Amino acid sequence: MELPFAESYRIKMVENIKKSTREEREQWIKDAHYNLFLLKSDYVFIDLLTDSGTGAMSDKQWSAIMLGDESYAGARSYYNMKNAIKDILGFDYFLPTHQGRAAENVLYSTIIKEGDVLPGNSHFDTTKGHIEFRRATALDCTIDEASDTQLEIPFKGNVDVKKLEKALQDNPKEKIPCVVLTVTNNTAGGQPVSMQNIREVSALCKKYGVLLQMDSARFAENAYFIKTREAEFKNKSIKEIVKEMFSYADIMTMSSKKDAIVNMGGFVAFKSEELWKNCQKFCIMNEGFITYGGMSGRDMNALAVGLDEGTEFDYLETRIKQVEYLGSKLDEYGIPYQRPAGGHAIFVDAKKILTHVPKEEFIAQTLGIELYLEAGIRGVEIGAMLADRDPITRENRFPKLELLRLAIPRRTYTNNHMDVIATALKNVYDRRESITRGYVIIREEPIMRHFTVEMDKAK
């Protein structure tokens, strides 16, 4: 008999979490103005808001923390991180930052000017926010198939190369500071980008003289999918695949809170020494000196170890099979989600579930609130709320997809928790016909509103 699959780790420490009553949750979400971000974590039983910084570090990472060098300049920890980035990712130059959006800020403060266009595959919220804040345009060139949640194709995060070439033809290269390739494609459902697509995008960038930036928060998960779904790479190691992926990039930005499995940290890395030097002033102004950039020495040490651990097959297989397990439970209950299951999350198709809620009342946000009320489970909306308003017309943008993202923290929950999540979703799904109204905005910020928006029930 074949042995069942088991996690590639054992648990050494636990943290208690508490259940609550529906009556308590109704009051708590009301007090939070129906914004899941504004809930206290003590009011959440299973927290799937994000996989960013919420994973469990290993014994080796905790050991590395104790050896952190906290020198202001030239710390050993900086060089440990530098060596890991060079050995695993292949970049000679980097600037540490406190997290991924800070890396974007350092880079985009240097290369973006008003009126620029940055084509890419479904820019995530902070990326789009940084671009639009600078009065530039984030142009989505994702393949059309990504908007069909029930379509099963292996690389749903790919760039449509015809759309990309048209964007490169329609705009002078002086207007395109870089193409942004997100691996995996978070907004499209944690969907991977194939190596073939990476090569094609790189070739177009070279043809038109444009830099290629990889938004790389979940690059290791992307490499896992390349290994398991792209025949050319089935006998390659994850580290070999990662090296080739980044051989095609000029720049990478990294939220290390994902695939480097740390609680805080990030960086922007470069092939060009000149661009690295040009970005240094913004690192010093906004983050810190160039050899710590907003990170402590102990966190740089943990990050260096995490890059190594996060690019090992056994760890990645454990992580991604847990996401697949949750997807398989939803399949049993007939609950629609972005297929196939992504690398870091299940993206539930709210449009197909809450068919009576008007789009103006934020369908995915409504589903997220219903799931919280049902079982104290917190997800995050990837839909009209996140899409924000058009920066010119100020009208709400309504994307093709209304998704509730259930992001699974790394090495944190067991499959028993996945069973609870699936059952709670089934309970909401079973009463979906009774959910006919959503929520309206009563206060919002002009950009990246979803983090702090205040809402009320639609009447």
Side-chain angles (χ1 to χ4, degrees):
M1 180 183 294
E2 185 177 350
L3 294 175
F5 182 80
E7 291 80 3
S8 61
Y9 56 82
R10 57 187 179 190
I11 297 168
K12 188 175 286 189
M13 185 183 76
V14 297
E15 176 186 2
N16 291 328
I17 54 177
K18 294 181 180 179
K19 296 180 181 179
S20 57
T21 66
R22 185 180 178 95
E23 290 73 21
E24 287 174 325
R25 294 192 294 272
E26 286 174 350
Q27 186 61 50
W28 291 337
I29 194 65
K30 181 180 179 181
D31 292 344
H33 303 286
Y34 300 99
N35 182 346
L36 294 159
F37 281 98
L38 301 183
L39 285 168
K40 292 181 180 179
S41 64
D42 287 344
Y43 297 165
V44 177
F45 181 53
I46 301 175
D47 202 343
L48 310 181
L49 184 75
T50 181
D51 62 318
S52 179
T54 56
M57 288 195 294
S58 71
D59 53 351
K60 291 181 180 179
Q61 287 181 291
W62 281 108
S63 298
I65 281 176
M66 299 305 293
L67 298 173
D69 178 1
E70 304 302 341
S71 301
Y72 185 93
R76 289 188 307 275
S77 299
Y78 166 81
Y79 289 101
N80 290 339
M81 185 172 165
K82 177 181 174 66
N83 291 338
I85 290 170
K86 173 62 177 175
D87 294 345
I88 297 170
L89 309 176
F91 287 85
D92 289 313
Y93 309 100
F94 84 101
L95 293 169
T97 61
H98 75 274
Q99 62 184 84
R101 69 194 61 181
E104 292 170 340
N105 186 46
V106 168
L107 175 64
Y108 292 159
S109 293
T110 307
I111 68 173
I112 293 180
K113 60 185 182 301
E114 184 175 343
D116 282 350
V117 176
L118 286 83
N121 57 337
S122 307
H123 311 70
F124 198 56
D125 56 356
T126 60
T127 313
K128 183 160 65 69
H130 277 300
I131 293 168
E132 293 182 348
F133 178 74
R134 291 166 173 82
R135 299 186 183 277
T137 300
L139 182 64
D140 186 9
C141 297
T142 310
I143 58 172
D144 292 336
E145 291 88 340
S147 61
D148 182 350
T149 61
Q150 302 311 292
L151 180 66
E152 293 258 8
I153 59 173
F155 293 101
K156 224 171 184 177
N158 280 356
V159 168
D160 184 320
V161 291
K162 290 182 180 178
K163 290 180 186 177
L164 176 60
E165 182 152 32
K166 186 176 188 307
L168 296 171
Q169 290 171 341
D170 291 348
N171 296 278
K173 69 177 183 180
E174 295 78 16
K175 285 277 192 182
I176 303 182
C178 64
V179 169
V180 183
L181 183 60
T182 307
V183 290
T184 57
N185 185 333
N186 188 6
T187 305
Q191 296 297 312
V193 178
S194 70
M195 189 72 82
Q196 181 60 34
N197 193 242
I198 293 171
R199 290 167 177 165
E200 292 168 347
V201 170
S202 174
L204 281 176
C205 288
K206 286 180 170 59
K207 177 179 176 180
Y208 290 92
V210 172
L211 297 174
L212 175 58
Q213 173 207 344
M214 282 194 190
D215 181 347
S216 311
R218 300 175 181 87
F219 73 93
E221 292 171 9
N222 200 90
Y224 175 91
F225 286 123
I226 288 173
K227 178 177 175 64
T228 56
R229 296 180 183 176
E230 214 163 348
E232 177 186 347
F233 296 94
K234 66 179 180 180
N235 295 320
K236 297 282 189 181
S237 71
I238 297 295
K239 284 183 169 63
E240 288 172 325
I241 295 167
V242 164
K243 263 291 180 66
E244 179 166 345
M245 282 171 57
F246 287 119
S247 73
Y248 300 111
D250 300 292
I251 310 163
M252 70 169 288
T253 48
M254 177 74 180
S255 172
S256 303
K257 297 161 69 176
K258 284 85 166 176
D259 273 355
I261 331 172
V262 291
N263 303 125
M264 188 58 68
F267 59 89
V268 52
F270 314 86
K271 298 285 177 63
S272 164
E273 182 180 11
E274 181 182 5
L275 183 55
W276 170 64
K277 288 181 175 178
N278 288 342
C279 287
Q280 287 180 4
K281 59 182 176 292
F282 292 106
C283 180
I284 295 168
M285 287 168 57
N286 297 312
E287 293 293 301
F289 187 60
I290 61 172
T291 60
Y292 78 90
M295 293 187 68
S296 63
R298 55 185 174 269
D299 287 332
M300 287 191 282
N301 263 10
L303 196 163
V305 174
L307 281 176
D308 180 50
E309 292 184 351
T311 48
E312 287 298 317
F313 180 82
D314 287 348
Y315 153 75
L316 284 165
E317 185 175 45
T318 295
R319 181 202 181 16
I320 288 170
K321 281 191 176 297
Q322 186 172 59
V323 179
E324 289 177 353
Y325 176 80
L326 177 55
S328 71
K329 298 300 292 185
L330 299 190
D331 288 339
E332 288 181 28
Y333 301 141
I335 298 171
Y337 61 91
Q338 176 66 293
R339 308 177 65 89
H344 70 287
I346 290 292
F347 290 69
V348 183
D349 191 336
K351 263 188 184 178
K352 290 187 181 300
I353 296 173
L354 301 185
T355 56
H356 301 308
V357 175
K359 67 178 182 180
E360 295 81 8
E361 295 176 8
F362 302 103
I363 301 167
Q365 181 74 8
T366 302
L367 182 60
I369 292 168
E370 290 293 331
L371 180 61
Y372 174 73
L373 291 172
E374 181 67 32
I377 298 164
R378 175 163 65 173
V380 70
E381 185 258 22
I382 307 291
M385 182 62 70
L386 182 143
D388 224 313
R389 295 182 183 272
D390 185 283
I392 306 300
T393 67
R394 302 308 300 162
E395 294 294 322
N396 278 318
R397 289 184 284 208
F398 295 103
K400 292 179 181 178
L401 295 176
E402 281 280 342
L403 303 172
L404 175 63
R405 187 185 75 174
L406 305 176
I408 313 300
R410 293 160 180 79
R411 302 188 291 209
T412 300
Y413 292 114
T414 70
N415 281 0
N416 286 337
H417 293 102
M418 301 302 111
D419 291 339
V420 172
I421 296 161
T423 302
L425 267 173
K426 180 183 185 300
N427 292 344
V428 174
Y429 186 68
D430 287 347
R431 58 179 171 83
R432 64 193 181 279
E433 295 295 326
S434 67
I435 305 169
T436 59
R437 301 305 302 268
Y439 296 83
V440 294
I441 294 172
I442 57 175
R443 192 193 74 81
E444 64 181 299
E445 292 297 325
I447 195 165
M448 289 191 284
R449 65 185 180 185
H450 57 291
F451 289 110
T452 57
V453 68
E454 296 179 4
M455 309 184 77
D456 203 353
K457 292 180 179 179
K459 293 181 171 57

